[in-house]
Amino acid sequence: MSGSHGQTDTHTYQSLLEDCPFGSVEQPKRSTGRLIMHSMAMFGREFCYAVEAAYVTPVLLSVGLPKSLYSMVWLLSPILGFLLQPVVGSISDHCRARWGRRRPYILTLAIMMLLGMALYLNGDAVVSALVPNPRRKLVWAVSITMTGVVLFDFSADFIDGPIKAYLFDVCSHKDKEKGLHYHALFTGFGGALGYLLGAIDWMHLELGRLLGTEFQVMFFFSGLVLTLCFLVHLCSIPEAPLRDAAEDPPTYQVPQSPSLSADAIHEYGSIEKVNRVDADTELVKGGTNKKVSEQSQRAMSMKSLLRTLVTMPSHYRCLCISHLIGWTAFLSNMLFFTDFMGQIVYHGDPYSPHNSTEFLIYERGVEIGCWGLCINSLFSSLYSYFHKALVSYIGLKGLYFIGYLLFGLGTGFIGLFPNVYSTLALCSMFGVMSSTLYTVPFNLIAEYHLEEEKEKQQGAPGAPDNSGRGKGVDCAALTSMVQLAQILVGVGLGFLVNMAGSVIVVVITASAVALIGCCFVALFVRYVD
């Protein structure tokens, strides 16, 4: 396979449990263009997320979704994701597809995202055209819309783990940090564009009249952006299939120097490229390694996977808890922000007749809420751009703490002073939190991996034995905290809103949880020197 500079790289892969007496060679340097291509998946994903955040509540309310089913929409997807994500992460660590380990899963989830958007944005229109009976029309419209929302949420949340694992597999440590930086940058750009298009009144434009409704316009743009971005992403950096070393005749590359570089890194828990020094030794060991690889793949059952997750090093567990706190605060605010703008800031009523003044005022608040979320995404990209400069002065700990602190203070002021202009200005604090959640935890995982690889290479006493886990499991464990946060938000916020009688409790809760997170990331999360 060709690298980013046109040079030919020889890939020989090994299983999680194979012995590699000489360590492994650092991945080739990836060009900026390749890393940007890889980041386009985050652009497309966040664009579609922005469309969902702006339109899903109005869509669900417009089809007549009963209040009793509202929490089910938000709970079903994260429950499935939380249960299945570590399992799929483990399976992808052992995937033997010809196209690589991560990309088949990414492609499948992208198609599921597209199908989910088609259902929840177009379901009502299709049912209206096909079902004349009003009662049956309501049942079908609600069912199809709910299915679309759950399918899209499940896929969009799930896909982050394979994307991060793909980046970690094919990049050196420096390129991982650079790639995460571009991921955050393009995440902000994608969200900003999605919210910007959602804030436009398409029904007064030719495209809106041509396609019928705003929902169809947004599906047209979402489907186009998602398809193009994921095609670019999947063609960005090649993956060699895992079965190369176990099944195909091995190809050897003669090293340029008799000894491996002192800083060669054995990629922790992953399947990486290695240069063999002694071909004869490898031919003898080939059959044994194949058997070990097959045993490894069979051994990762649900029971052993759960045991692996429970017994993971304590600093990984603390990082997962901090990620859970952060996403709980962030989602508490973001999932209900446009509704908050419509009801609290603009004093509209989403349950009024659609031709009433109260409903039109609510719709105006939702549109302005989209502009606020657009500000959030733009500031997220801007803040991500300065990450490299900031981290050299305040470190990852400072970035992590500041992200939680500014978000907690910003949402607190929004809840206390729900004014249009101050709320829009404080939306920039959402961007700081978004950029922090998408970069700092994964930077810390990369640092933990690098530290453990060096300890293993140097034969340090007490070096952790993590042979049962790969990068897919670690990334999946971290991203599954997003689903767990959605579960907590879906269960807890509905109860709090009913108790308080107002959605203003949403932003107050987000502020309190974020400020608790400040203390946690400062006291319990481990940072590598």
Side-chain angles (χ1 to χ4, degrees):
M1 293 191 180
S2 60
S4 58
H5 297 286
Q7 298 174 346
T8 301
D9 298 324
T10 302
H11 293 265
T12 305
Y13 279 64
Q14 61 176 23
S15 77
L16 287 171
L17 298 181
E18 283 181 28
D19 295 325
C20 182
F22 303 103
S24 66
V25 176
E26 180 77 9
Q27 285 284 349
K29 178 177 173 57
R30 305 298 180 183
S31 67
T32 298
R34 291 282 183 179
L35 294 175
I36 289 176
M37 289 173 65
H38 194 280
S39 302
M40 293 308 295
M42 301 305 294
F43 182 94
R45 171 182 177 265
E46 199 64 21
F47 179 92
C48 297
Y49 248 147
V51 171
E52 188 205 31
Y55 281 94
V56 70
T57 299
V59 166
L60 291 172
L61 294 176
S62 68
V63 299
L65 180 72
K67 289 183 178 181
S68 59
L69 296 179
Y70 199 76
S71 60
M72 184 185 297
V73 175
W74 297 116
L75 286 178
L76 188 57
S77 167
I79 289 173
L80 290 173
F82 179 70
L83 294 176
L84 295 178
Q85 195 160 67
V87 177
V88 174
S90 174
I91 295 173
S92 72
D93 280 331
H94 301 279
C95 177
R96 294 179 175 274
R98 291 177 59 86
W99 207 24
R101 293 184 299 153
R102 317 297 181 186
R103 289 188 290 179
Y105 292 94
I106 294 172
L107 176 61
T108 302
L109 291 167
I111 293 172
M112 290 170 62
M113 285 176 63
L114 189 61
L115 178 60
M117 284 190 300
L119 292 177
Y120 85 77
L121 287 174
N122 300 300
D124 188 32
V126 172
V127 170
S128 298
L130 298 178
V131 181
N133 186 294
R135 188 168 182 177
R136 291 183 61 193
K137 172 186 169 183
L138 174 64
V139 174
W140 276 102
V142 169
S143 301
I144 290 176
T145 303
M146 283 181 61
T147 302
V149 172
V150 170
L151 184 62
F152 175 82
D153 267 346
F154 172 81
S155 307
D157 291 341
F158 215 116
I159 206 169
D160 192 41
I163 289 173
K164 292 297 191 297
Y166 177 19
L167 176 72
F168 284 12
D169 282 346
V170 297
C171 291
S172 65
H173 184 71
K174 288 185 178 179
D175 285 341
K176 289 174 193 175
E177 294 180 339
K178 191 175 179 181
L180 289 171
H181 166 74
Y182 285 126
H183 277 200
L185 195 65
F186 281 92
T187 293
F189 286 149
L193 182 60
Y195 292 127
L196 182 63
L197 292 178
I200 296 174
D201 186 1
W202 290 102
M203 297 315 297
H204 289 84
L205 300 176
E206 185 62 30
L207 184 61
R209 289 190 290 267
L210 178 66
L211 294 178
T213 68
E214 286 189 348
F215 299 154
Q216 275 73 63
V217 172
M218 296 314 297
F219 174 70
F220 169 76
F221 283 116
S222 300
L224 182 63
V225 170
L226 181 71
T227 302
L228 293 177
C229 286
F230 273 90
L231 284 175
V232 172
H233 168 76
L234 293 171
C235 297
S236 60
I237 303 175
E239 281 187 286
L242 174 59
R243 65 183 180 183
D244 278 1
E247 298 177 3
D248 298 337
T251 303
Y252 303 105
Q253 177 178 336
V254 179
Q256 296 178 354
S257 61
S259 61
L260 293 177
S261 173
D263 59 352
I265 297 172
H266 182 277
E267 292 295 341
Y268 159 76
S270 181
I271 294 114
E272 304 292 350
K273 181 184 70 175
V274 293
N275 290 327
R276 301 299 188 185
V277 177
D278 190 344
D280 294 333
T281 303
E282 290 305 312
L283 288 172
V284 174
K285 294 173 63 177
T288 304
N289 285 342
K290 180 177 178 180
K291 292 179 182 178
V292 173
S293 178
E294 292 172 350
Q295 291 171 358
S296 167
Q297 189 169 357
R298 289 195 300 267
M300 187 53 76
S301 62
M302 185 64 185
K303 181 179 179 181
S304 61
L305 174 62
L306 290 175
R307 184 170 60 249
T308 300
L309 293 174
V310 169
T311 59
M312 69 193 318
S314 59
H315 50 281
Y316 281 92
R317 194 177 302 113
C318 287
L319 182 61
C320 287
I321 294 172
S322 70
H323 205 51
L324 171 63
I325 295 172
W327 273 104
T328 300
F330 190 69
L331 291 175
S332 297
N333 181 70
M334 299 301 288
L335 289 179
F336 298 93
F337 182 72
T338 53
D339 188 50
F340 171 81
M341 288 290 290
Q343 290 197 57
I344 302 302
V345 178
Y346 273 80
H347 307 289
D349 184 3
Y351 297 104
S352 297
H354 286 199
N355 58 351
S356 66
T357 303
E358 290 81 4
F359 185 81
L360 294 176
I361 290 174
Y362 173 79
E363 281 196 325
R364 178 59 178 167
V366 170
E367 289 180 2
I368 298 300
C370 288
W371 284 107
L373 296 176
C374 182
I375 292 171
N376 146 61
S377 296
L378 287 173
F379 205 84
S380 175
S381 288
L382 182 64
Y383 185 71
S384 299
Y385 182 78
F386 292 104
H387 260 200
K388 279 190 174 181
L390 289 172
V391 75
S392 61
Y393 288 102
I394 60 177
L396 289 175
K397 183 175 184 178
L399 283 178
Y400 216 5
F401 180 83
I402 287 175
Y404 281 59
L405 178 64
L406 291 180
F407 181 80
L409 294 177
T411 50
F413 282 119
I414 286 174
L416 294 174
F417 310 104
N419 175 271
V420 176
Y421 300 106
S422 63
T423 299
L424 290 177
L426 289 170
C427 282
S428 58
M429 299 300 99
F430 304 168
V432 174
M433 185 65 158
S434 173
S435 177
T436 299
L437 290 173
Y438 279 121
T439 54
V440 176
F442 293 98
N443 274 322
L444 287 172
I445 275 201
E447 294 286 348
Y448 296 162
H449 287 176
L450 181 62
E451 181 185 51
E452 290 170 358
E453 289 157 8
K454 287 181 177 179
E455 289 178 356
K456 186 181 294 185
Q457 184 186 18
Q458 295 167 1
D465 178 16
N466 297 297
S467 58
R469 289 193 356 262
K471 289 188 179 73
V473 175
D474 284 334
C475 291
L478 190 62
T479 55
S480 66
M481 294 300 104
V482 181
Q483 281 85 45
L484 185 54
Q486 281 184 286
I487 295 170
L488 295 176
V489 169
V491 172
L493 280 187
F495 175 76
L496 289 176
V497 170
N498 288 333
M499 290 287 292
S502 172
V503 294
I504 200 169
V505 72
V506 169
V507 291
I508 299 299
T509 301
S511 175
V513 174
L515 293 175
I516 292 171
C518 284
C519 302
F520 191 90
V521 300
L523 299 175
F524 298 103
V525 175
R526 180 171 174 267
Y527 302 90
V528 180
D529 294 332

